[in-house]
Amino acid sequence: MADAVRDWIAYGLTGRSPATLSNYTTIANKHVVGQLGARKLRDLTADDVDRWLRAESRVVSTRTLRLMHSLLNRAVRHAMARDKVMRNVVELCSVPTGREGRRSKSLTFTQAEKLLRAAEASSMRAYVVLSLLTGARTEELRALRWEDVDLAGSPDEDPPVPPSISVLRSVRMDGDTKTRRSRRRLALPSRAVRALAAHAERPEVSTGRADLVFASRNGTELDAHNVRRSFRRVAADAGLDAAEWTPRELRHSFVSLLSDSGVPLEHISRLVGHSGTAVTEAVHRQQLRPVLEHGAIAMDGIFPSDDHADDRRTPL
């Protein structure tokens, strides 16, 4: 079994991202090879798989159980295609319910305010502000480029076009957004405009070593683990239990804060790029019209700018 699983990982995952390969390898080695690896492939029975899944259900979530079952299933199918086993008993087994997984949560308004204040002195300031005030996915922000950022807008157009970002790509293996409908153009709240403008003046950014808005010191995309570690430092400075929060929960907080402020669900759905969004069908940045302003307007109301003189939007 160990050989079959490792052979599938080595030759059956072509085109997968390094992060996916690392995740699959870790889970396979710990939960599959570690428990079933010594079994002969041809002697594996459905009862063996059922007992394995039932035992693992006491220590892992249902989601992880499904992934473990899928990994083993694909590894045995891979072996069948190479005539190393005659049938796949894994397909005969159902996945039991595992432990309840970690639930995502949202910041309250007070917690969000504290987080934004704590981020002021951090290199993560613009990242935190943009995540919380636009609802962009963390993988979308890590791939954001300066060419997709418009901090000036076009106030003289009719109607005026506010400052915005265009979400056109992510750090996924193919570089595209999660779905085609996730392509969207988002107006920026005033606080986000200020944070991005200040971020652009940082020495490591203004030297022009990378077109990426958020880049590592050598100009490459930020690693998810580094982002999480940096974010948790900000969370700790804000008085939160840093171990309990991740960057993706800023997106959940965006949705909750807008909902609490009375923004209609259909507007929120469009802002976060969920299915049903009608204005995200265009492919190119220049074609993403109209700018989706509902989030920026609401966030300007929730987190007002210190200077309202340039605020040309009308409230909802």
Side-chain angles (χ1 to χ4, degrees), residues 53-119:
L53 288 170
R54 192 177 304 115
E56 291 292 323
S57 69
R58 303 187 187 102
V59 295
V60 302
S61 68
T62 302
R63 179 177 179 274
T64 301
L65 271 179
R66 291 195 185 107
L67 178 56
M68 290 160 49
H69 178 269
S70 176
L71 296 182
L72 182 62
N73 189 32
R74 284 182 278 177
V76 176
R77 281 209 308 259
H78 183 80
M80 282 182 64
R82 285 148 184 80
D83 296 324
K84 295 180 180 179
V85 67
M86 295 301 295
R87 67 176 187 145
N88 183 2
V89 297
V90 183
E91 292 181 330
L92 306 176
C93 302
S94 301
V95 180
T97 300
R99 296 182 62 182
E100 184 175 349
R102 177 185 179 278
R103 291 186 176 181
S104 296
K105 51 192 176 300
S106 302
L107 295 165
T108 64
F109 171 74
T110 300
Q111 289 173 324
E113 277 278 35
K114 290 180 178 179
L115 188 73
L116 289 172
R117 286 198 296 270

Short mmCIF file of all heavy atoms in Angstrom, two decimals, residues 53-119:
data_model
loop_
_atom_site.label_atom_id
_atom_site.label_comp_id
_atom_site.label_asym_id
_atom_site.label_seq_id
_atom_site.Cartn_x
_atom_site.Cartn_y
_atom_site.Cartn_z
N LEU A 53 -11.22 3.98 8.34
CA LEU A 53 -11.98 5.23 8.33
C LEU A 53 -12.67 5.47 9.67
O LEU A 53 -12.70 6.60 10.18
CB LEU A 53 -13.02 5.21 7.21
CG LEU A 53 -12.47 5.34 5.78
CD1 LEU A 53 -13.57 5.06 4.77
CD2 LEU A 53 -11.88 6.73 5.55
N ARG A 54 -13.21 4.41 10.28
CA ARG A 54 -13.90 4.56 11.55
C ARG A 54 -12.92 4.99 12.65
O ARG A 54 -13.24 5.85 13.48
CB ARG A 54 -14.59 3.25 11.94
CG ARG A 54 -15.57 3.39 13.10
CD ARG A 54 -16.29 2.08 13.40
NE ARG A 54 -16.98 1.57 12.22
CZ ARG A 54 -16.67 0.44 11.61
NH1 ARG A 54 -15.66 -0.30 12.05
NH2 ARG A 54 -17.36 0.03 10.56
N ALA A 55 -11.74 4.42 12.64
CA ALA A 55 -10.74 4.79 13.64
C ALA A 55 -10.28 6.23 13.45
O ALA A 55 -10.13 6.99 14.42
CB ALA A 55 -9.54 3.83 13.56
N GLU A 56 -10.07 6.62 12.21
CA GLU A 56 -9.60 7.98 11.92
C GLU A 56 -10.68 9.02 12.19
O GLU A 56 -10.38 10.19 12.47
CB GLU A 56 -9.15 8.08 10.47
CG GLU A 56 -7.87 7.30 10.15
CD GLU A 56 -6.65 7.90 10.82
OE1 GLU A 56 -6.56 9.14 10.91
OE2 GLU A 56 -5.78 7.12 11.26
N SER A 57 -11.96 8.60 12.13
CA SER A 57 -13.05 9.55 12.35
C SER A 57 -13.05 10.10 13.77
O SER A 57 -13.66 11.13 14.05
CB SER A 57 -14.40 8.89 12.06
OG SER A 57 -14.71 7.91 13.04
N ARG A 58 -12.35 9.42 14.68
CA ARG A 58 -12.27 9.90 16.06
C ARG A 58 -11.27 11.03 16.23
O ARG A 58 -11.30 11.73 17.25
CB ARG A 58 -11.88 8.74 16.99
CG ARG A 58 -12.82 7.53 16.93
CD ARG A 58 -12.47 6.51 18.00
NE ARG A 58 -13.25 5.28 17.83
CZ ARG A 58 -12.77 4.18 17.29
NH1 ARG A 58 -11.51 4.12 16.88
NH2 ARG A 58 -13.54 3.11 17.17
N VAL A 59 -10.41 11.23 15.23
CA VAL A 59 -9.33 12.22 15.42
C VAL A 59 -9.29 13.30 14.35
O VAL A 59 -8.60 14.30 14.52
CB VAL A 59 -7.96 11.51 15.49
CG1 VAL A 59 -7.87 10.63 16.72
CG2 VAL A 59 -7.70 10.69 14.23
N VAL A 60 -10.00 13.12 13.23
CA VAL A 60 -9.97 14.12 12.17
C VAL A 60 -11.38 14.55 11.80
O VAL A 60 -12.36 13.87 12.13
CB VAL A 60 -9.23 13.60 10.91
CG1 VAL A 60 -7.80 13.18 11.23
CG2 VAL A 60 -9.99 12.45 10.26
N SER A 61 -11.49 15.66 11.10
CA SER A 61 -12.80 16.19 10.69
C SER A 61 -13.36 15.38 9.52
O SER A 61 -12.63 14.64 8.85
CB SER A 61 -12.66 17.65 10.28
OG SER A 61 -11.90 17.77 9.09
N THR A 62 -14.64 15.57 9.27
CA THR A 62 -15.29 14.89 8.15
C THR A 62 -14.64 15.31 6.84
O THR A 62 -14.45 14.47 5.94
CB THR A 62 -16.79 15.22 8.12
OG1 THR A 62 -17.39 14.84 9.37
CG2 THR A 62 -17.49 14.49 6.99
N ARG A 63 -14.31 16.56 6.71
CA ARG A 63 -13.66 17.05 5.48
C ARG A 63 -12.34 16.33 5.24
O ARG A 63 -12.03 15.91 4.13
CB ARG A 63 -13.45 18.55 5.57
CG ARG A 63 -12.78 19.16 4.35
CD ARG A 63 -12.68 20.67 4.50
NE ARG A 63 -12.03 21.28 3.36
CZ ARG A 63 -10.72 21.41 3.22
NH1 ARG A 63 -9.91 20.96 4.18
NH2 ARG A 63 -10.21 21.98 2.14
N THR A 64 -11.54 16.18 6.30
CA THR A 64 -10.25 15.48 6.16
C THR A 64 -10.46 14.01 5.85
O THR A 64 -9.73 13.41 5.06
CB THR A 64 -9.41 15.65 7.43
OG1 THR A 64 -9.19 17.05 7.68
CG2 THR A 64 -8.07 14.96 7.30
N LEU A 65 -11.48 13.41 6.46
CA LEU A 65 -11.80 12.00 6.17
C LEU A 65 -12.12 11.82 4.69
O LEU A 65 -11.66 10.85 4.06
CB LEU A 65 -12.99 11.54 7.00
CG LEU A 65 -12.75 10.95 8.38
CD1 LEU A 65 -14.07 10.58 9.01
CD2 LEU A 65 -11.83 9.72 8.31
N ARG A 66 -12.92 12.73 4.15
CA ARG A 66 -13.27 12.62 2.72
C ARG A 66 -12.01 12.73 1.85
O ARG A 66 -11.88 12.03 0.85
CB ARG A 66 -14.26 13.72 2.35
CG ARG A 66 -15.64 13.55 2.97
CD ARG A 66 -16.66 14.44 2.28
NE ARG A 66 -17.96 14.38 2.93
CZ ARG A 66 -18.48 15.33 3.68
NH1 ARG A 66 -17.80 16.46 3.87
NH2 ARG A 66 -19.67 15.19 4.22
N LEU A 67 -11.11 13.63 2.23
CA LEU A 67 -9.88 13.78 1.46
C LEU A 67 -9.02 12.53 1.57
O LEU A 67 -8.46 12.04 0.57
CB LEU A 67 -9.10 15.00 1.94
CG LEU A 67 -7.76 15.27 1.26
CD1 LEU A 67 -7.94 15.39 -0.25
CD2 LEU A 67 -7.10 16.52 1.82
N MET A 68 -8.92 11.96 2.77
CA MET A 68 -8.15 10.72 2.95
C MET A 68 -8.72 9.59 2.09
O MET A 68 -7.97 8.85 1.44
CB MET A 68 -8.16 10.33 4.43
CG MET A 68 -7.34 11.26 5.32
SD MET A 68 -7.81 11.15 7.08
CE MET A 68 -7.82 9.38 7.36
N HIS A 69 -10.04 9.44 2.12
CA HIS A 69 -10.70 8.41 1.31
C HIS A 69 -10.43 8.65 -0.17
O HIS A 69 -10.14 7.71 -0.93
CB HIS A 69 -12.20 8.43 1.59
CG HIS A 69 -12.99 7.44 0.78
ND1 HIS A 69 -13.54 7.76 -0.44
CD2 HIS A 69 -13.31 6.14 1.02
CE1 HIS A 69 -14.17 6.72 -0.92
NE2 HIS A 69 -14.06 5.71 -0.05
N SER A 70 -10.49 9.90 -0.59
CA SER A 70 -10.24 10.24 -1.99
C SER A 70 -8.81 9.91 -2.39
O SER A 70 -8.56 9.37 -3.48
CB SER A 70 -10.53 11.72 -2.23
OG SER A 70 -10.20 12.10 -3.54
N LEU A 71 -7.85 10.24 -1.52
CA LEU A 71 -6.44 9.96 -1.84
C LEU A 71 -6.21 8.46 -2.00
O LEU A 71 -5.56 8.02 -2.95
CB LEU A 71 -5.54 10.51 -0.73
CG LEU A 71 -5.52 12.02 -0.50
CD1 LEU A 71 -4.52 12.39 0.60
CD2 LEU A 71 -5.18 12.76 -1.77
N LEU A 72 -6.76 7.69 -1.07
CA LEU A 72 -6.58 6.24 -1.16
C LEU A 72 -7.28 5.68 -2.38
O LEU A 72 -6.74 4.81 -3.09
CB LEU A 72 -7.12 5.57 0.11
CG LEU A 72 -6.95 4.05 0.19
CD1 LEU A 72 -5.47 3.67 0.18
CD2 LEU A 72 -7.63 3.49 1.45
N ASN A 73 -8.46 6.17 -2.66
CA ASN A 73 -9.23 5.71 -3.81
C ASN A 73 -8.46 5.96 -5.11
O ASN A 73 -8.35 5.08 -5.97
CB ASN A 73 -10.57 6.43 -3.83
CG ASN A 73 -11.52 5.87 -4.87
OD1 ASN A 73 -11.51 4.68 -5.17
ND2 ASN A 73 -12.35 6.73 -5.43
N ARG A 74 -7.93 7.16 -5.25
CA ARG A 74 -7.19 7.50 -6.47
C ARG A 74 -5.88 6.72 -6.57
O ARG A 74 -5.45 6.36 -7.67
CB ARG A 74 -6.94 9.01 -6.52
CG ARG A 74 -8.19 9.79 -6.92
CD ARG A 74 -7.92 11.27 -7.01
NE ARG A 74 -7.97 11.92 -5.71
CZ ARG A 74 -7.72 13.21 -5.52
NH1 ARG A 74 -7.36 13.97 -6.53
NH2 ARG A 74 -7.82 13.73 -4.31
N ALA A 75 -5.25 6.47 -5.43
CA ALA A 75 -4.01 5.70 -5.45
C ALA A 75 -4.26 4.27 -5.91
O ALA A 75 -3.48 3.70 -6.71
CB ALA A 75 -3.37 5.70 -4.06
N VAL A 76 -5.36 3.66 -5.45
CA VAL A 76 -5.67 2.29 -5.86
C VAL A 76 -6.11 2.26 -7.32
O VAL A 76 -5.75 1.32 -8.07
CB VAL A 76 -6.77 1.70 -4.94
CG1 VAL A 76 -7.18 0.30 -5.43
CG2 VAL A 76 -6.26 1.61 -3.51
N ARG A 77 -6.87 3.25 -7.78
CA ARG A 77 -7.23 3.32 -9.21
C ARG A 77 -5.98 3.44 -10.07
O ARG A 77 -5.89 2.84 -11.15
CB ARG A 77 -8.15 4.51 -9.46
CG ARG A 77 -9.59 4.28 -9.07
CD ARG A 77 -10.54 5.11 -9.92
NE ARG A 77 -10.17 6.52 -9.92
CZ ARG A 77 -10.74 7.45 -9.19
NH1 ARG A 77 -11.71 7.12 -8.35
NH2 ARG A 77 -10.37 8.71 -9.28
N HIS A 78 -5.02 4.24 -9.60
CA HIS A 78 -3.75 4.39 -10.31
C HIS A 78 -3.03 3.04 -10.42
O HIS A 78 -2.48 2.70 -11.47
CB HIS A 78 -2.88 5.41 -9.55
CG HIS A 78 -1.57 5.72 -10.20
ND1 HIS A 78 -1.45 6.60 -11.25
CD2 HIS A 78 -0.32 5.26 -9.93
CE1 HIS A 78 -0.17 6.68 -11.60
NE2 HIS A 78 0.52 5.89 -10.82
N ALA A 79 -3.08 2.27 -9.34
CA ALA A 79 -2.44 0.95 -9.35
C ALA A 79 -3.20 -0.01 -10.26
O ALA A 79 -2.58 -0.85 -10.96
CB ALA A 79 -2.39 0.40 -7.93
N MET A 80 -4.53 0.07 -10.29
CA MET A 80 -5.33 -0.79 -11.18
C MET A 80 -4.98 -0.54 -12.63
O MET A 80 -4.89 -1.49 -13.44
CB MET A 80 -6.82 -0.50 -10.96
CG MET A 80 -7.42 -1.12 -9.73
SD MET A 80 -9.20 -0.77 -9.62
CE MET A 80 -9.82 -1.61 -11.07
N ALA A 81 -4.77 0.72 -12.98
CA ALA A 81 -4.44 1.05 -14.37
C ALA A 81 -3.10 0.47 -14.79
O ALA A 81 -2.82 0.37 -15.99
CB ALA A 81 -4.43 2.56 -14.55
N ARG A 82 -2.30 0.07 -13.82
CA ARG A 82 -0.99 -0.51 -14.10
C ARG A 82 -0.94 -2.00 -13.77
O ARG A 82 0.12 -2.59 -13.59
CB ARG A 82 0.08 0.25 -13.31
CG ARG A 82 0.35 1.61 -13.95
CD ARG A 82 0.74 2.69 -12.94
NE ARG A 82 0.88 3.98 -13.64
CZ ARG A 82 -0.14 4.76 -13.99
NH1 ARG A 82 -1.38 4.38 -13.73
NH2 ARG A 82 0.06 5.90 -14.62
N ASP A 83 -2.13 -2.60 -13.65
CA ASP A 83 -2.29 -4.04 -13.44
C ASP A 83 -1.62 -4.55 -12.17
O ASP A 83 -1.16 -5.69 -12.10
CB ASP A 83 -1.73 -4.82 -14.65
CG ASP A 83 -2.51 -4.52 -15.92
OD1 ASP A 83 -3.73 -4.34 -15.83
OD2 ASP A 83 -1.87 -4.44 -16.98
N LYS A 84 -1.59 -3.70 -11.13
CA LYS A 84 -0.99 -4.12 -9.87
C LYS A 84 -2.04 -4.65 -8.90
O LYS A 84 -1.69 -5.23 -7.87
CB LYS A 84 -0.23 -2.95 -9.24
CG LYS A 84 0.97 -2.51 -10.07
CD LYS A 84 1.70 -1.35 -9.42
CE LYS A 84 2.90 -0.93 -10.27
NZ LYS A 84 3.64 0.21 -9.68
N VAL A 85 -3.31 -4.43 -9.22
CA VAL A 85 -4.41 -4.94 -8.41
C VAL A 85 -5.61 -5.07 -9.34
O VAL A 85 -5.74 -4.33 -10.31
CB VAL A 85 -4.70 -4.01 -7.21
CG1 VAL A 85 -5.24 -2.68 -7.66
CG2 VAL A 85 -5.66 -4.68 -6.22
N MET A 86 -6.51 -6.04 -9.03
CA MET A 86 -7.61 -6.33 -9.95
C MET A 86 -8.84 -5.46 -9.70
O MET A 86 -9.60 -5.18 -10.62
CB MET A 86 -8.00 -7.81 -9.82
CG MET A 86 -6.90 -8.75 -10.27
SD MET A 86 -6.41 -8.48 -11.99
CE MET A 86 -7.93 -8.94 -12.83
N ARG A 87 -9.09 -5.04 -8.46
CA ARG A 87 -10.26 -4.24 -8.19
C ARG A 87 -9.97 -3.22 -7.11
O ARG A 87 -8.99 -3.35 -6.37
CB ARG A 87 -11.45 -5.11 -7.80
CG ARG A 87 -11.29 -5.83 -6.47
CD ARG A 87 -12.53 -6.59 -6.12
NE ARG A 87 -12.47 -7.17 -4.77
CZ ARG A 87 -13.50 -7.28 -3.96
NH1 ARG A 87 -14.69 -6.84 -4.37
NH2 ARG A 87 -13.37 -7.83 -2.77
N ASN A 88 -10.86 -2.23 -7.01
CA ASN A 88 -10.68 -1.15 -6.06
C ASN A 88 -11.75 -1.26 -4.97
O ASN A 88 -12.89 -0.83 -5.16
CB ASN A 88 -10.78 0.21 -6.77
CG ASN A 88 -10.53 1.37 -5.83
OD1 ASN A 88 -10.24 1.19 -4.65
ND2 ASN A 88 -10.63 2.58 -6.36
N VAL A 89 -11.36 -1.82 -3.83
CA VAL A 89 -12.33 -2.00 -2.74
C VAL A 89 -12.65 -0.68 -2.04
O VAL A 89 -13.67 -0.57 -1.34
CB VAL A 89 -11.81 -3.02 -1.70
CG1 VAL A 89 -11.63 -4.38 -2.34
CG2 VAL A 89 -10.51 -2.55 -1.04
N VAL A 90 -11.81 0.33 -2.23
CA VAL A 90 -12.03 1.62 -1.56
C VAL A 90 -13.34 2.25 -2.05
O VAL A 90 -14.05 2.91 -1.30
CB VAL A 90 -10.84 2.56 -1.79
CG1 VAL A 90 -11.03 3.88 -1.04
CG2 VAL A 90 -9.54 1.90 -1.37
N GLU A 91 -13.66 2.03 -3.32
CA GLU A 91 -14.89 2.60 -3.89
C GLU A 91 -16.14 2.04 -3.24
O GLU A 91 -17.22 2.63 -3.34
CB GLU A 91 -14.93 2.35 -5.39
CG GLU A 91 -13.88 3.12 -6.18
CD GLU A 91 -13.96 2.85 -7.67
OE1 GLU A 91 -14.38 1.74 -8.04
OE2 GLU A 91 -13.62 3.76 -8.43
N LEU A 92 -16.03 0.89 -2.57
CA LEU A 92 -17.18 0.26 -1.94
C LEU A 92 -17.49 0.84 -0.57
O LEU A 92 -18.53 0.52 0.02
CB LEU A 92 -16.92 -1.25 -1.79
CG LEU A 92 -16.54 -2.01 -3.06
CD1 LEU A 92 -16.21 -3.47 -2.73
CD2 LEU A 92 -17.66 -1.94 -4.08
N CYS A 93 -16.60 1.68 -0.06
CA CYS A 93 -16.71 2.15 1.33
C CYS A 93 -17.22 3.58 1.41
O CYS A 93 -16.83 4.44 0.62
CB CYS A 93 -15.34 2.06 2.02
SG CYS A 93 -14.66 0.39 2.00
N SER A 94 -18.09 3.82 2.38
CA SER A 94 -18.62 5.16 2.62
C SER A 94 -17.80 5.87 3.69
O SER A 94 -17.20 5.22 4.56
CB SER A 94 -20.08 5.09 3.08
OG SER A 94 -20.88 4.44 2.10
N VAL A 95 -17.79 7.17 3.61
CA VAL A 95 -17.02 7.97 4.57
C VAL A 95 -17.90 8.28 5.77
O VAL A 95 -18.98 8.87 5.63
CB VAL A 95 -16.53 9.29 3.93
CG1 VAL A 95 -15.74 10.12 4.93
CG2 VAL A 95 -15.67 8.99 2.70
N PRO A 96 -17.49 7.91 6.97
CA PRO A 96 -18.28 8.22 8.17
C PRO A 96 -18.15 9.69 8.56
O PRO A 96 -17.35 10.43 7.98
CB PRO A 96 -17.65 7.32 9.24
CG PRO A 96 -16.23 7.17 8.81
CD PRO A 96 -16.26 7.16 7.30
N THR A 97 -18.90 10.10 9.52
CA THR A 97 -18.81 11.46 10.03
C THR A 97 -17.63 11.56 10.99
O THR A 97 -17.50 10.73 11.90
CB THR A 97 -20.10 11.86 10.77
OG1 THR A 97 -21.20 11.78 9.85
CG2 THR A 97 -20.00 13.28 11.32
N GLY A 98 -16.80 12.55 10.78
CA GLY A 98 -15.65 12.75 11.65
C GLY A 98 -15.92 13.78 12.73
O GLY A 98 -17.08 14.15 13.00
N ARG A 99 -14.86 14.24 13.33
CA ARG A 99 -14.99 15.28 14.35
C ARG A 99 -15.42 16.59 13.69
O ARG A 99 -15.16 16.82 12.51
CB ARG A 99 -13.65 15.48 15.07
CG ARG A 99 -13.19 14.26 15.84
CD ARG A 99 -11.89 14.53 16.57
NE ARG A 99 -12.05 15.59 17.57
CZ ARG A 99 -11.04 16.05 18.32
NH1 ARG A 99 -9.82 15.54 18.18
NH2 ARG A 99 -11.25 16.99 19.21
N GLU A 100 -16.06 17.42 14.46
CA GLU A 100 -16.47 18.72 13.93
C GLU A 100 -15.24 19.56 13.65
O GLU A 100 -14.36 19.70 14.50
CB GLU A 100 -17.38 19.45 14.93
CG GLU A 100 -17.92 20.75 14.39
CD GLU A 100 -18.92 21.39 15.35
OE1 GLU A 100 -19.33 20.71 16.32
OE2 GLU A 100 -19.28 22.56 15.12
N GLY A 101 -15.16 20.09 12.44
CA GLY A 101 -13.99 20.88 12.06
C GLY A 101 -14.02 22.27 12.68
O GLY A 101 -15.01 22.68 13.30
N ARG A 102 -12.92 22.97 12.51
CA ARG A 102 -12.82 24.33 13.04
C ARG A 102 -13.76 25.24 12.26
O ARG A 102 -13.69 25.32 11.04
CB ARG A 102 -11.39 24.84 12.90
CG ARG A 102 -11.18 26.27 13.36
CD ARG A 102 -9.76 26.70 13.06
NE ARG A 102 -9.50 28.07 13.44
CZ ARG A 102 -9.84 29.13 12.72
NH1 ARG A 102 -10.45 28.97 11.56
NH2 ARG A 102 -9.57 30.35 13.13
N ARG A 103 -14.64 25.92 12.96
CA ARG A 103 -15.60 26.80 12.30
C ARG A 103 -14.97 28.17 12.03
O ARG A 103 -14.27 28.72 12.88
CB ARG A 103 -16.84 26.98 13.17
CG ARG A 103 -17.69 25.72 13.29
CD ARG A 103 -18.98 26.01 14.04
NE ARG A 103 -19.85 24.84 14.08
CZ ARG A 103 -21.04 24.82 14.66
NH1 ARG A 103 -21.49 25.93 15.25
NH2 ARG A 103 -21.76 23.73 14.65
N SER A 104 -15.23 28.66 10.85
CA SER A 104 -14.79 30.02 10.54
C SER A 104 -15.64 31.00 11.32
O SER A 104 -16.79 30.73 11.65
CB SER A 104 -14.91 30.29 9.03
OG SER A 104 -14.06 29.45 8.30
N LYS A 105 -15.07 32.15 11.59
CA LYS A 105 -15.79 33.14 12.38
C LYS A 105 -15.52 34.53 11.82
O LYS A 105 -14.71 34.70 10.93
CB LYS A 105 -15.38 33.06 13.85
CG LYS A 105 -13.87 33.09 14.07
CD LYS A 105 -13.54 32.71 15.50
CE LYS A 105 -12.04 32.64 15.70
NZ LYS A 105 -11.39 31.65 14.85
N SER A 106 -16.22 35.50 12.37
CA SER A 106 -16.11 36.87 11.89
C SER A 106 -15.78 37.80 13.04
O SER A 106 -16.18 37.58 14.19
CB SER A 106 -17.43 37.31 11.24
OG SER A 106 -17.78 36.46 10.17
N LEU A 107 -15.06 38.85 12.70
CA LEU A 107 -14.76 39.89 13.68
C LEU A 107 -16.01 40.71 13.97
O LEU A 107 -16.81 40.98 13.07
CB LEU A 107 -13.68 40.82 13.14
CG LEU A 107 -12.29 40.23 12.90
CD1 LEU A 107 -11.47 41.17 12.02
CD2 LEU A 107 -11.57 39.96 14.21
N THR A 108 -16.15 41.12 15.21
CA THR A 108 -17.17 42.11 15.53
C THR A 108 -16.65 43.47 15.06
O THR A 108 -15.48 43.63 14.72
CB THR A 108 -17.43 42.16 17.04
OG1 THR A 108 -16.24 42.60 17.70
CG2 THR A 108 -17.84 40.79 17.57
N PHE A 109 -17.53 44.47 15.08
CA PHE A 109 -17.10 45.81 14.70
C PHE A 109 -15.97 46.30 15.61
O PHE A 109 -14.97 46.84 15.13
CB PHE A 109 -18.28 46.78 14.77
CG PHE A 109 -17.86 48.22 14.60
CD1 PHE A 109 -17.48 48.72 13.37
CD2 PHE A 109 -17.82 49.06 15.71
CE1 PHE A 109 -17.08 50.03 13.22
CE2 PHE A 109 -17.42 50.38 15.58
CZ PHE A 109 -17.06 50.87 14.33
N THR A 110 -16.09 46.08 16.91
CA THR A 110 -15.06 46.51 17.85
C THR A 110 -13.74 45.82 17.58
O THR A 110 -12.67 46.44 17.58
CB THR A 110 -15.52 46.24 19.30
OG1 THR A 110 -16.73 46.96 19.56
CG2 THR A 110 -14.46 46.69 20.29
N GLN A 111 -13.79 44.50 17.34
CA GLN A 111 -12.56 43.76 17.04
C GLN A 111 -11.94 44.25 15.73
O GLN A 111 -10.72 44.36 15.62
CB GLN A 111 -12.87 42.26 16.95
CG GLN A 111 -13.20 41.61 18.27
CD GLN A 111 -13.65 40.17 18.10
OE1 GLN A 111 -14.34 39.83 17.12
NE2 GLN A 111 -13.28 39.31 19.02
N ALA A 112 -12.79 44.53 14.74
CA ALA A 112 -12.29 45.00 13.45
C ALA A 112 -11.59 46.36 13.60
O ALA A 112 -10.53 46.59 13.01
CB ALA A 112 -13.43 45.10 12.45
N GLU A 113 -12.17 47.24 14.39
CA GLU A 113 -11.55 48.54 14.63
C GLU A 113 -10.19 48.38 15.30
O GLU A 113 -9.21 49.03 14.91
CB GLU A 113 -12.47 49.39 15.52
CG GLU A 113 -13.57 50.11 14.76
CD GLU A 113 -13.07 51.40 14.13
OE1 GLU A 113 -11.91 51.46 13.70
OE2 GLU A 113 -13.85 52.36 14.06
N LYS A 114 -10.10 47.51 16.28
CA LYS A 114 -8.84 47.28 16.97
C LYS A 114 -7.80 46.68 16.02
O LYS A 114 -6.61 47.04 16.07
CB LYS A 114 -9.04 46.35 18.17
CG LYS A 114 -9.81 46.98 19.32
CD LYS A 114 -9.98 45.99 20.47
CE LYS A 114 -10.72 46.64 21.64
NZ LYS A 114 -10.92 45.67 22.75
N LEU A 115 -8.24 45.79 15.15
CA LEU A 115 -7.32 45.18 14.19
C LEU A 115 -6.79 46.22 13.21
O LEU A 115 -5.59 46.24 12.89
CB LEU A 115 -8.03 44.06 13.44
CG LEU A 115 -7.13 43.21 12.53
CD1 LEU A 115 -6.25 42.30 13.37
CD2 LEU A 115 -7.96 42.37 11.56
N LEU A 116 -7.66 47.09 12.73
CA LEU A 116 -7.23 48.13 11.80
C LEU A 116 -6.24 49.08 12.46
O LEU A 116 -5.24 49.49 11.84
CB LEU A 116 -8.43 48.91 11.28
CG LEU A 116 -9.36 48.15 10.31
CD1 LEU A 116 -10.61 48.97 10.03
CD2 LEU A 116 -8.63 47.82 9.01
N ARG A 117 -6.47 49.41 13.73
CA ARG A 117 -5.53 50.28 14.44
C ARG A 117 -4.19 49.58 14.64
O ARG A 117 -3.13 50.19 14.48
CB ARG A 117 -6.12 50.70 15.79
CG ARG A 117 -7.22 51.74 15.68
CD ARG A 117 -7.45 52.44 17.02
NE ARG A 117 -7.92 51.52 18.04
CZ ARG A 117 -9.20 51.26 18.27
NH1 ARG A 117 -10.14 51.85 17.54
NH2 ARG A 117 -9.55 50.42 19.23
N ALA A 118 -4.23 48.29 14.99
CA ALA A 118 -2.99 47.54 15.20
C ALA A 118 -2.19 47.41 13.91
O ALA A 118 -0.96 47.35 13.93
CB ALA A 118 -3.31 46.15 15.76
N ALA A 119 -2.89 47.37 12.79
CA ALA A 119 -2.21 47.21 11.50
C ALA A 119 -1.50 48.47 11.04
O ALA A 119 -0.65 48.41 10.14
CB ALA A 119 -3.21 46.76 10.44
#
